[in-house]
Amino acid sequence: MDSSNGHKAAANRVLTGRREPLDRICNIVRNRTSQAVFVMAGPGIGKSSLAEAISERLAGELNVLRIHGSSALAAVPFGVLTPYTGDLTAEESVSPVAVLRSMWSYFEKLRAGNGAPVLMVVDDAHYLDEASAGVVADLISAGWATVVAAARPRPGLPQPLDQLWYDGLAERVDLRPLNREQIEEVLDHVLDGTVPAATVDSVWAASGGNPRLLDALLHDAAEAGILSKRNGIWILLGTLPADGPRLGTVVAKDHLRRQPEEQEALKLIALAAPVGRKVIEDICGAPVVRSLLDQQVAVETSGVPAELSLWNGLFAGAIRNTISVSRSLQLQEKIRAHRNGTVLRGEGLLRSVEWALECGLKVADADMLEAAREALLRFRNDSAKSVAARVQAPAGLPLAQAIQARALYNDAAYSDAAALLDGCWDKLADHPQGPAVLLLRVSAHQAAGHPLDGVAEDLRERSAQAPDAVPAWQSQLLRLLQAGSEADWQALADEVAAIRESGLSETKGEPMAALGEALLAHALVAAGRPADGLDAGLRASSELAPLEDSLYFFREFVLGRLVACYIAMGEWESAEREINSYASAHAAGAATFNGSLQVLRGYSLLRQGRMERAYQVLLPAVEALRLNDPLQLFRFGSALGFYVAARLGDTVQAKRLEQDYADAVAGGPAHDLLARGYSLAAGEYLARDGKGLAALHTLMTTTEASGRAGHLLELLAICWDLGDPSVIPMVQDAARGLQGRWAAAMLTLATGWEAADGDALMATAAGLEESGFVNLAREAYARASSVLEQSGERRRSRQAVAQREKCDHELGERFREGRFIAAAPAVHLTRREQDIVELAVQGLTDREIAQRLMVSVRTVEGHLYRTYVKLGVRSRDELESALPR
């Protein structure tokens, strides 16, 4: 977001998400279906911008008169109408009849110029005095002018205008906060490039859909470098700032228009929230609290006792930034005096501890540890680090260091996390968090590029020197990790059985069982037994409830293995359901784990043959993992992205992703074999020299591949996709006996392919399509077409071609064999222009094309314009007839 983009008018951004109400109101005014429209919205929702846009759009058709309500004139009769009553005497200026007559004369002068009707646009109409509101109501009733009035629901329109709506003489349009789709539209309009779903979600959640807050956040985040464009993709490099200048200005303006009692209450709630409603009522008064609730600035949580918070966390943080330490201490004393010894828990305790530390007060180590753990659960990493760093007592110091390390890990500071864990993990051997801390240490070292063997060496040395000093669970944990890295499902099954035989009632039982079952699930996937792996993954999931407050990310670790099982089985919808279920229930962890989950989603789409969609998902996922890779999937993700880019012919992106793959720290061993396979295939798609295919064949003969039947079948499928029919007998051999719908579908396709019976292939293709394996059905239809053509059944062959193209369309593939792309290049169009034109001819809108190809709408518009020039046409309606034939 460059400086010119950063300073576009806020109104323009707001209206990007307000096209529907803008069009609706303008149509009402033009068609005179109602004499008045009342636009109601809370502060910052965009009513003033909408009123301005209405004025600008209709200025050429009507005589537009702008009036602005003002709190300063709210008590002055006819105050806002003074510019139009200048010819009245002092006595006449307070007469409603004289004022109305003066307004009529003014309107007549306006109409005399062009004969157009009068549109009166009243902004901040809730500030109109009763006398002015009465005149405006009379103008509406008499039909002398059409009125668009924008006001806040609280306190609402003056009674004379409100009565018109009750009487059916005016329409009301209520503006709501922008929804996610509207936020996405705004970001697409403002930012030149791809805005991934994770960025949209973060901005939507942070802004609460409030356009004024959205505009401030975008400015502040861009100025601070937090919203950054990387390889054409807009990503957030950190949390959106609560201390930016634009947000500060919004808060200052909001404060200035409030009464001192409301300002005091807002400060107290911002500092203490969640805070008991009765506490704030006792300090500031019940009417003040009701007013803030009516204005929806404060929100009340259900429960006993009822608690108050501000409507938006960043707004609350910005208010806190305006309060001096001395003033904060005074407010804290007020809160303490009215809490009556209430025991705080959860977020209330966290805010209380943060507030005390901000004021320089002493806090008990036990409270700081509990607060730091709470901050971790909410992925408030900066808070977790700063609070845990204040712990001084020797007994609590190791746990405090482990908490800091997990927060550092969440922020991708893997080396720093590893260094802290090296100094504290052994001191927590008898602590309930012992296995979690040791696991986190291993993960931090691996993420920093240190292999498992090196990390485990010190434990082996300790065990050799003093066997009795090393707890049995530590040695068992390392055996699990080693067997997992080798995908040795039998060794993992034995270890898991031993864990369960010893019982889970012991402190270390649940984490060890969850880890073992999750590793076993993935090893079984590699072995071609994903159904058994799913059983293990579900058993691992059953152990997660007691681990919710663990310092290790057991839930995400298990989720990745569950999704891998579903993908290997060909259960695409189940994989998507698991990812979506996590995302909806654990939004706080999105900044840390979303990139990993998106790689798994992209992998599922790739396996389905939905390359275009996989490309749209994988490119942003790789950029996210470049910043934060907790599950160590960057190498795997860059290999998948490299493969899809090369297969789709995007050479520039493919080369970049190839370098990413080469530079990546060795990924998790569970994915390394497949990462190598996809990378070799991508190289073959780029070069088409046979070297990549030969290397794939070599890879499949290694002991590693031959011992993993499930992964071997996937490598064979990659070779087949490259156009190597020699692997088909091997596919048949490998698929026999493997579990899951996908292996069965591959066996069915390979068997039908070898039989070369056109009718049987058509039936096979139809069955595969019905089962959801559309990419395999496409190959079966293609084979059937060839077989039927050779046997002279041209009509049936054409049917097979039509069915194959139907599969192409469902998969969202580009039509490389269509008449346009295959046509002689009488007019040279770039590959991107070809793609856009092909989709335009199919009837897709500019926005749909942008989403399909993962570019901005403006990019699509620019390419289409250049194509029109090259082809000598003026619109997309003329495109098809102008295409080369």
Side-chain angles (χ1 to χ4, degrees), residues 377 432-433 436 507-515 540 543-555 558:
L377 290 175
Q433 291 286 343
T507 303
K508 313 299 187 294
E510 289 91 351
M512 297 294 286
L515 173 68
E543 307 294 348
L544 293 177
L547 303 175
E548 283 294 334
D549 65 344
S550 174
L551 292 180
Y552 189 71
F553 39 92
F554 283 104
R555 179 169 298 281
V558 171

Tab-separated table of all heavy atoms in Angstrom, residues 377 432-433 436 507-515 540 543-555 558:
chain	number	residue	atom	x	y	z
A	377	LEU	N	-3.202	-18.524	26.030
A	377	LEU	CA	-4.413	-19.170	25.515
A	377	LEU	C	-5.123	-18.274	24.509
A	377	LEU	O	-5.784	-18.763	23.590
A	377	LEU	CB	-5.362	-19.515	26.663
A	377	LEU	CG	-4.903	-20.644	27.606
A	377	LEU	CD1	-5.882	-20.796	28.755
A	377	LEU	CD2	-4.773	-21.961	26.847
A	432	PRO	N	3.527	-30.996	35.620
A	432	PRO	CA	2.539	-31.500	34.647
A	432	PRO	C	2.829	-31.053	33.209
A	432	PRO	O	2.440	-31.743	32.259
A	432	PRO	CB	1.222	-30.917	35.155
A	432	PRO	CG	1.436	-30.746	36.621
A	432	PRO	CD	2.876	-30.380	36.792
A	433	GLN	N	3.499	-29.906	33.055
A	433	GLN	CA	3.810	-29.412	31.717
A	433	GLN	C	5.110	-29.997	31.163
A	433	GLN	O	5.547	-29.604	30.078
A	433	GLN	CB	3.928	-27.882	31.739
A	433	GLN	CG	2.614	-27.154	31.981
A	433	GLN	CD	1.699	-27.177	30.769
A	433	GLN	OE1	2.125	-27.447	29.653
A	433	GLN	NE2	0.422	-26.912	30.981
A	436	ALA	N	5.046	-31.334	27.540
A	436	ALA	CA	4.769	-30.233	26.612
A	436	ALA	C	6.005	-29.373	26.413
A	436	ALA	O	6.319	-28.958	25.289
A	436	ALA	CB	3.617	-29.387	27.131
A	507	THR	N	0.149	-38.257	35.512
A	507	THR	CA	0.235	-36.876	35.019
A	507	THR	C	0.608	-36.826	33.553
A	507	THR	O	0.103	-36.011	32.788
A	507	THR	CB	1.270	-36.097	35.844
A	507	THR	OG1	0.901	-36.162	37.215
A	507	THR	CG2	1.332	-34.646	35.414
A	508	LYS	N	1.529	-37.656	33.127
A	508	LYS	CA	2.074	-37.567	31.766
A	508	LYS	C	1.272	-38.394	30.759
A	508	LYS	O	1.636	-38.474	29.598
A	508	LYS	CB	3.540	-38.045	31.740
A	508	LYS	CG	4.432	-37.469	32.841
A	508	LYS	CD	4.528	-35.968	32.751
A	508	LYS	CE	5.548	-35.405	33.725
A	508	LYS	NZ	5.203	-35.581	35.131
A	509	GLY	N	0.195	-39.056	31.192
A	509	GLY	CA	-0.497	-39.993	30.311
A	509	GLY	C	-1.126	-39.356	29.097
A	509	GLY	O	-0.898	-39.798	27.966
A	510	GLU	N	-1.930	-38.298	29.284
A	510	GLU	CA	-2.662	-37.715	28.153
A	510	GLU	C	-1.744	-37.129	27.079
A	510	GLU	O	-1.944	-37.410	25.889
A	510	GLU	CB	-3.642	-36.646	28.642
A	510	GLU	CG	-4.827	-37.196	29.402
A	510	GLU	CD	-4.550	-37.278	30.885
A	510	GLU	OE1	-3.374	-37.062	31.277
A	510	GLU	OE2	-5.482	-37.566	31.646
A	511	PRO	N	-0.742	-36.315	27.432
A	511	PRO	CA	0.110	-35.776	26.367
A	511	PRO	C	0.874	-36.846	25.605
A	511	PRO	O	1.022	-36.759	24.387
A	511	PRO	CB	1.060	-34.819	27.095
A	511	PRO	CG	0.981	-35.187	28.529
A	511	PRO	CD	-0.377	-35.737	28.736
A	512	MET	N	1.337	-37.879	26.308
A	512	MET	CA	2.083	-38.938	25.628
A	512	MET	C	1.164	-39.739	24.699
A	512	MET	O	1.540	-40.089	23.589
A	512	MET	CB	2.723	-39.860	26.660
A	512	MET	CG	3.747	-39.167	27.556
A	512	MET	SD	5.191	-38.604	26.641
A	512	MET	CE	5.989	-40.169	26.368
A	513	ALA	N	-0.046	-40.003	25.151
A	513	ALA	CA	-0.990	-40.745	24.310
A	513	ALA	C	-1.392	-39.923	23.095
A	513	ALA	O	-1.462	-40.440	21.974
A	513	ALA	CB	-2.223	-41.133	25.128
A	514	ALA	N	-1.674	-38.624	23.297
A	514	ALA	CA	-2.058	-37.774	22.170
A	514	ALA	C	-0.939	-37.693	21.140
A	514	ALA	O	-1.181	-37.802	19.924
A	514	ALA	CB	-2.414	-36.375	22.670
A	515	LEU	N	0.296	-37.508	21.606
A	515	LEU	CA	1.438	-37.439	20.694
A	515	LEU	C	1.613	-38.757	19.948
A	515	LEU	O	1.758	-38.775	18.717
A	515	LEU	CB	2.708	-37.103	21.479
A	515	LEU	CG	4.013	-37.159	20.679
A	515	LEU	CD1	4.055	-36.045	19.649
A	515	LEU	CD2	5.227	-37.083	21.611
A	540	ALA	N	-6.381	-39.840	19.323
A	540	ALA	CA	-5.574	-38.704	19.778
A	540	ALA	C	-6.467	-37.517	20.123
A	540	ALA	O	-6.251	-36.821	21.130
A	540	ALA	CB	-4.564	-38.312	18.693
A	543	GLU	N	-7.971	-37.314	23.559
A	543	GLU	CA	-7.079	-36.976	24.675
A	543	GLU	C	-6.878	-35.464	24.827
A	543	GLU	O	-6.149	-35.023	25.715
A	543	GLU	CB	-5.702	-37.634	24.476
A	543	GLU	CG	-5.727	-39.120	24.223
A	543	GLU	CD	-6.226	-39.920	25.428
A	543	GLU	OE1	-6.335	-39.329	26.522
A	543	GLU	OE2	-6.536	-41.101	25.260
A	544	LEU	N	-7.488	-34.661	23.962
A	544	LEU	CA	-7.143	-33.238	23.911
A	544	LEU	C	-7.776	-32.399	25.018
A	544	LEU	O	-7.214	-31.365	25.398
A	544	LEU	CB	-7.535	-32.655	22.548
A	544	LEU	CG	-6.740	-33.172	21.352
A	544	LEU	CD1	-7.287	-32.580	20.064
A	544	LEU	CD2	-5.268	-32.838	21.499
A	545	ALA	N	-8.931	-32.803	25.517
A	545	ALA	CA	-9.639	-31.959	26.493
A	545	ALA	C	-8.768	-31.572	27.690
A	545	ALA	O	-8.722	-30.395	28.076
A	545	ALA	CB	-10.918	-32.655	26.946
A	546	PRO	N	-8.021	-32.521	28.307
A	546	PRO	CA	-7.190	-32.117	29.451
A	546	PRO	C	-5.956	-31.307	29.048
A	546	PRO	O	-5.240	-30.815	29.922
A	546	PRO	CB	-6.750	-33.470	30.061
A	546	PRO	CG	-7.604	-34.510	29.441
A	546	PRO	CD	-7.985	-33.982	28.097
A	547	LEU	N	-5.709	-31.176	27.741
A	547	LEU	CA	-4.496	-30.504	27.282
A	547	LEU	C	-4.774	-29.099	26.755
A	547	LEU	O	-3.915	-28.503	26.101
A	547	LEU	CB	-3.836	-31.345	26.171
A	547	LEU	CG	-3.483	-32.789	26.544
A	547	LEU	CD1	-2.951	-33.537	25.330
A	547	LEU	CD2	-2.472	-32.831	27.676
A	548	GLU	N	-5.957	-28.554	27.014
A	548	GLU	CA	-6.330	-27.241	26.478
A	548	GLU	C	-5.367	-26.148	26.930
A	548	GLU	O	-5.123	-25.192	26.199
A	548	GLU	CB	-7.756	-26.883	26.899
A	548	GLU	CG	-8.835	-27.604	26.106
A	548	GLU	CD	-8.870	-27.194	24.645
A	548	GLU	OE1	-8.455	-26.061	24.329
A	548	GLU	OE2	-9.297	-28.005	23.811
A	549	ASP	N	-4.834	-26.265	28.160
A	549	ASP	CA	-3.938	-25.222	28.660
A	549	ASP	C	-2.473	-25.619	28.529
A	549	ASP	O	-1.605	-25.058	29.188
A	549	ASP	CB	-4.262	-24.893	30.119
A	549	ASP	CG	-4.005	-26.074	31.051
A	549	ASP	OD1	-3.872	-27.215	30.541
A	549	ASP	OD2	-3.942	-25.864	32.281
A	550	SER	N	-2.199	-26.585	27.656
A	550	SER	CA	-0.824	-27.061	27.500
A	550	SER	C	0.055	-26.005	26.828
A	550	SER	O	-0.418	-25.201	26.012
A	550	SER	CB	-0.815	-28.345	26.662
A	550	SER	OG	0.516	-28.740	26.380
A	551	LEU	N	1.332	-26.035	27.151
A	551	LEU	CA	2.282	-25.136	26.500
A	551	LEU	C	2.677	-25.636	25.113
A	551	LEU	O	3.376	-24.928	24.387
A	551	LEU	CB	3.541	-24.976	27.366
A	551	LEU	CG	3.334	-24.237	28.687
A	551	LEU	CD1	4.646	-24.136	29.457
A	551	LEU	CD2	2.769	-22.844	28.458
A	552	TYR	N	2.241	-26.833	24.747
A	552	TYR	CA	2.482	-27.354	23.395
A	552	TYR	C	1.178	-27.295	22.611
A	552	TYR	O	0.085	-27.361	23.179
A	552	TYR	CB	2.996	-28.790	23.460
A	552	TYR	CG	3.464	-29.322	22.117
A	552	TYR	CD1	4.625	-28.841	21.537
A	552	TYR	CD2	2.728	-30.283	21.429
A	552	TYR	CE1	5.060	-29.307	20.304
A	552	TYR	CE2	3.156	-30.754	20.202
A	552	TYR	CZ	4.316	-30.259	19.648
A	552	TYR	OH	4.739	-30.712	18.408
A	553	PHE	N	1.300	-27.207	21.306
A	553	PHE	CA	0.123	-27.050	20.449
A	553	PHE	C	-0.411	-28.417	20.023
A	553	PHE	O	-0.437	-28.770	18.845
A	553	PHE	CB	0.470	-26.201	19.219
A	553	PHE	CG	1.828	-26.465	18.646
A	553	PHE	CD1	2.035	-27.392	17.639
A	553	PHE	CD2	2.928	-25.778	19.140
A	553	PHE	CE1	3.292	-27.627	17.117
A	553	PHE	CE2	4.192	-26.002	18.614
A	553	PHE	CZ	4.374	-26.935	17.598
A	554	PHE	N	-0.875	-29.189	21.010
A	554	PHE	CA	-1.374	-30.535	20.729
A	554	PHE	C	-2.555	-30.512	19.766
A	554	PHE	O	-2.657	-31.354	18.875
A	554	PHE	CB	-1.782	-31.237	22.025
A	554	PHE	CG	-0.629	-31.754	22.828
A	554	PHE	CD1	-0.212	-31.092	23.965
A	554	PHE	CD2	0.048	-32.904	22.448
A	554	PHE	CE1	0.850	-31.560	24.717
A	554	PHE	CE2	1.108	-33.377	23.180
A	554	PHE	CZ	1.526	-32.710	24.323
A	555	ARG	N	-3.475	-29.564	19.960
A	555	ARG	CA	-4.679	-29.552	19.119
A	555	ARG	C	-4.315	-29.396	17.652
A	555	ARG	O	-4.819	-30.108	16.786
A	555	ARG	CB	-5.627	-28.432	19.563
A	555	ARG	CG	-6.902	-28.344	18.722
A	555	ARG	CD	-7.912	-27.426	19.333
A	555	ARG	NE	-8.342	-27.886	20.634
A	555	ARG	CZ	-9.238	-28.861	20.817
A	555	ARG	NH1	-9.777	-29.470	19.768
A	555	ARG	NH2	-9.580	-29.219	22.037
A	558	VAL	N	-2.464	-32.546	16.269
A	558	VAL	CA	-3.393	-33.643	15.981
A	558	VAL	C	-4.255	-33.315	14.767
A	558	VAL	O	-4.504	-34.180	13.907
A	558	VAL	CB	-4.266	-33.941	17.215
A	558	VAL	CG1	-5.386	-34.925	16.868
A	558	VAL	CG2	-3.404	-34.490	18.351
